[in-house]
Amino acid sequence: MIYWLTGQPAHGKTTLGKKLKRFLKNNDVKKNTFIIDGDELREILQNKDYTETGRRTNMKVAQGIASYLHYQNFNVIVCLVSPYRDLRDEFKEQMGKEIKEIYINCKVLRSREKFRVVNYQEPRQNFINIDTSDATIDESFGELLHKLNLK
């Protein structure tokens, strides 16, 4: 399975993704789990281009890696802003039931406003919504597990 966590920066994608990785590692004996984090991917690719072109490139690379690992029998967790709905939707269409798009959102908090991606396109259909605004990490994670039918 591919779990694609998308949303604005600093809303909890990586935090929830790491908790999901630990959960899957402890509860899915059939598969290994791999996490692709946007910040780490940028370091590996040495891509500091935050323009639309740079962001699209990172999304496509993450999709290629996720697809490859999935077909090697890994659970894959992608934690990436991935602001462009068209690329997310194309990938969901390509992967079918093998991908879960998880929208991590938070009502804008002043402390997080400086990280906002202006042209982020929210999902419209076939996604799981996790609002981290007024929830603890554990509450948000519990909601995620419930919506993924893992708990």
Side-chain angles (χ1 to χ4, degrees):
M1 181 65 67
I2 298 172
Y3 303 92
W4 193 283
L5 284 71
T6 181
Q8 291 284 355
H11 283 198
K13 294 178 300 299
T14 299
T15 300
L16 291 175
K18 287 178 179 178
K19 285 184 77 70
L20 181 58
K21 179 181 179 181
R22 282 191 298 275
F23 178 87
L24 292 173
K25 182 178 179 182
N26 293 330
N27 293 287
D28 189 347
V29 295
K30 296 180 183 178
K31 291 188 176 186
N32 290 318
T33 302
F34 192 90
I35 193 165
I36 301 170
D37 180 72
D39 291 334
E40 293 172 1
L41 184 63
R42 285 188 177 284
E43 287 297 319
I44 292 167
L45 298 176
Q46 297 180 355
N47 178 359
K48 302 297 183 187
D49 180 1
Y50 289 91
T51 67
E52 181 174 345
T53 300
R55 288 184 184 278
R56 284 182 176 276
T57 297
N58 277 356
M59 285 178 72
K60 289 178 183 178
V61 169
Q63 289 172 341
I65 295 169
S67 178
Y68 174 78
L69 290 171
H70 169 72
Y71 290 120
Q72 299 302 314
N73 206 32
F74 281 80
N75 284 310
V76 183
I77 302 165
V78 180
C79 306
L80 190 68
V81 171
S82 47
Y84 304 107
R85 186 184 309 116
D86 64 317
L87 290 180
R88 294 191 316 263
D89 287 350
E90 286 172 14
F91 193 56
K92 285 193 302 188
E93 186 174 314
Q94 174 190 343
M95 297 307 297
K97 294 179 180 179
E98 299 301 316
I99 185 169
K100 300 286 185 193
E101 182 181 24
I102 304 160
Y103 175 48
I104 308 297
N105 74 88
C106 180
K107 309 276 188 291
V108 177
L109 301 174
R110 294 196 186 280
S111 63
R112 297 178 182 181
E113 181 66 24
K114 65 183 176 184
F115 300 109
R116 243 177 125 65
V117 175
V118 175
N119 56 356
Y120 182 85
Q121 300 166 347
E122 295 179 4
R124 286 193 182 149
Q125 57 187 357
N126 300 325
F127 69 96
I128 294 169
N129 183 50
I130 304 294
D131 185 345
T132 60
S133 300
D134 297 318
T136 67
I137 294 168
D138 288 337
E139 290 169 341
S140 295
F141 185 63
E143 180 183 1
L144 176 61
L145 291 181
H146 176 73
K147 288 183 175 181
L148 288 171
N149 294 317
L150 295 175
K151 187 174 182 181

